[in-house]
């Protein structure tokens, strides 16, 4: 199978494969995406005998990782026609996409898995989960706050009202997507095209403290984004949904795994679960290590450590690296061998290295999981160097 970047002439075939594997063409999201958002120059296609049989869309984002902003391809719409499945096409498509992303100078990539196991075999690992809360509207009452007022948004130009709330919510997190005017308008445009609602809660000074994105029409009200700057704002949003008892019977909302309100639920024995949400993968080990800062408290006299990185899919990543820490917030990295032979201070699988850099797990955690090996004498140093970070992301495409 031949893999290449799509051309404008491929668009009808890309649309057909998307409609076959995902939403039909009459679906509002399909209409919005291919009218306003689809970019052939950011789409990899696979062809065999002039038939387009596989695609992956490389959506362009800026990802904030430990305070560094990394241009990143979010791989969505990974699709292979059933006629070409079970022949290794999926792995070949992902490899071709990684080669393309590397050419673009991007250090990491992300994707939302339908099944994590498929991607784990190729070096992706989960870096962000979400809480999923399901509760009857009646049961919300003890969790509500009536001190804030409500408002509704109806225009993409109102993105400036949501932006400060999102920035405050993500300020101390890692792995989230930065949203500027372009990203906000694209996101809100897709919401309105699908008939989704957006409510905000304001305090007495008319300052917006939180917002929620939700849909009506079924007994269960799904809330796809719930963002707030104060606990009372979250409780006020739940009060807003409590007032919908004549329009629904239950609510399901997603929020970041860093939120601890579950500790105060009146009844948390049911309706509270975690959802595997986003996976990450390092595209270029050297570029990723050099782009992501370490803990400033770890700065000291320069020290050079040798890493051995395992990557069975991307040959350019496999090997040994000299990594110098101490002189600056980001290390200096030099690849010294394409093999793992020789002495190293740390050996790590490429997926685990991604989780470490994102902040999902520490070196000590990964050593316990068997994803990394390192001498006991280095554990405390690495835990200072790359401390655990709360991770979050809520981009669906």
């Amino acid at each position: 199978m031949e893999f290449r970047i799509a051309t404008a002439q491929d668009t009808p075939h890309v649309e057909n494969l998307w409609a076959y594997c995902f939403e039909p063409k009459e679906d509002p999201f399909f209409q919005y995406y291919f009218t306003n958002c689809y970019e052939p120059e950011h789409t990899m296609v696979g062809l065999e005998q002039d038939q387009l049989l596989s695609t992956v869309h490389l959506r362009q984002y800026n990802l904030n990782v430990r305070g560094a902003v990394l241009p990143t391809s979010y791989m969505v719409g990974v699709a292979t026609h059933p006629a070409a499945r079970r022949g290794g096409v999926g792995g070949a498509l992902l490899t071709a996409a990684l080669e393309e992303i590397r050419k673009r100078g991007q250090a990491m990539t992300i994707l939302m898995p339908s099944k994590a196991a498929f991607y784990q075999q190729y070096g992706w690992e989960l870096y962000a989960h979400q809480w999923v809360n399901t509760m009857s509207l009646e049961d919300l009452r003890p969790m509500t706050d009536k001190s804030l007022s409500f408002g509704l948004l109806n225009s993409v130009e109102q993105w400036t009202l949501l932006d400060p709330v999102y920035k405050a919510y993500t300020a101390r997190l890692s792995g989230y997507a930065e949203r500027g005017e372009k990203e906000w308008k694209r996101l809100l445009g897709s919401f309105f095209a699908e008939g989704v609602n957006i409510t905000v809660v304001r305090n007495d000074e008319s300052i917006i403290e939180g917002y929620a994105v939700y849909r009506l029409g079924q007994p269960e009200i799904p809330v796809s984004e719930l963002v707030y700057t104060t606990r009372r704002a979250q409780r006020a949003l739940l009060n807003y949904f409590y007032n919908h008892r004549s329009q629904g019977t239950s609510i399901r909302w997603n929020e970041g795994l860093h939120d601890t309100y579950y500790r105060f639920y009146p009844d948390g024995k049911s309706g509270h679960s975690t959802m595997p949400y986003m996976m990450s993968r390092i595209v270029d080990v050297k570029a990723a290590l050099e782009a992501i800062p370490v803990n400033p408290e770890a700065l000291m006299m320069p020290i050079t450590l040798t890493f051995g990185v395992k990557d069975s899919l991307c040959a350019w990543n496999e090997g040994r690296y000299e990594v110098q820490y101490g002189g600056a917030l980001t290390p200096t990295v030099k690849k010294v061998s394409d093999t793992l032979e020789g002495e190293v201070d740390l050996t790590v699988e490429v997926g685990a290295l991604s989780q470490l850099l994102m902040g999902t797990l520490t070196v000590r955690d990964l050593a316990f999981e068997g994803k990394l090996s390192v001498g006991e004498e280095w554990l405390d140093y690495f835990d200072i160097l790359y401390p655990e970070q709360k991770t979050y992301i809520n981009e669906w495409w």
Side-chain angles (χ1 to χ4, degrees), residues 30-58:
F30 182 102
Q31 293 293 323
Y32 181 81
Y33 180 76
F34 280 99
T35 300
N36 300 281
C37 303
Y38 171 64
E39 299 167 312
E41 68 273 21
H42 297 309
T43 304
M44 175 74 65
V45 297
L47 299 100
E48 190 172 75
Q49 297 180 354
D50 294 327
Q51 284 189 304
L52 193 151
L53 296 175
S54 63
T55 61
V56 55
H57 301 237
L58 308 177

Side-chain angles (χ1 to χ4, degrees), residues 28-29 49 85 194 232 247 285-286 304 314 322-323 329:
F29 178 78
Q49 297 180 354
R85 291 175 188 170
E194 293 185 271
R232 71 173 180 179
Q247 293 161 280
V285 168
K286 181 178 185 297
T304 299
C314 300
E322 289 182 352
V323 186
L329 282 176

Side-chain angles (χ1 to χ4, degrees), residues 302-373:
I303 181 174
T304 299
L305 300 174
T306 304
F307 284 24
V309 179
K310 299 178 181 179
D311 191 340
S312 59
L313 189 66
C314 300
W316 61 82
N317 282 331
E318 178 108 358
R320 290 186 293 123
Y321 297 79
E322 289 182 352
V323 186
Q324 186 183 81
Y325 292 105
L329 282 176
T330 54
T332 301
V333 182
K334 178 183 178 182
K335 189 173 187 183
V336 295
S337 174
D338 290 331
T339 72
L340 295 171
E341 297 175 2
E343 293 187 6
V344 296
D345 298 300
L346 178 147
T347 303
V348 62
E349 297 174 9
V350 72
L353 183 59
S354 174
Q355 290 176 312
L356 174 68
L357 296 182
M358 282 289 189
T360 308
L361 295 168
T362 65
V363 162
R364 194 180 299 269
D365 295 329
L366 291 165
F368 179 81
E369 297 294 342
K371 302 291 186 180
L372 175 154
S373 61

Side-chain angles (χ1 to χ4, degrees), residues 28 92 193 221 256-257 260 304 328:
I221 301 173
L257 200 62
T260 57
T304 299

Side-chain angles (χ1 to χ4, degrees), residues 145 148 201 209-211 226-238:
D145 184 297
L148 302 182
V201 288
E209 293 188 13
Y211 69 85
L226 191 77
V227 175
Y228 38 88
T229 59
T230 62
R231 182 61 71 201
R232 71 173 180 179
Q234 185 198 26
R235 291 170 62 92
L237 289 166
L238 295 180

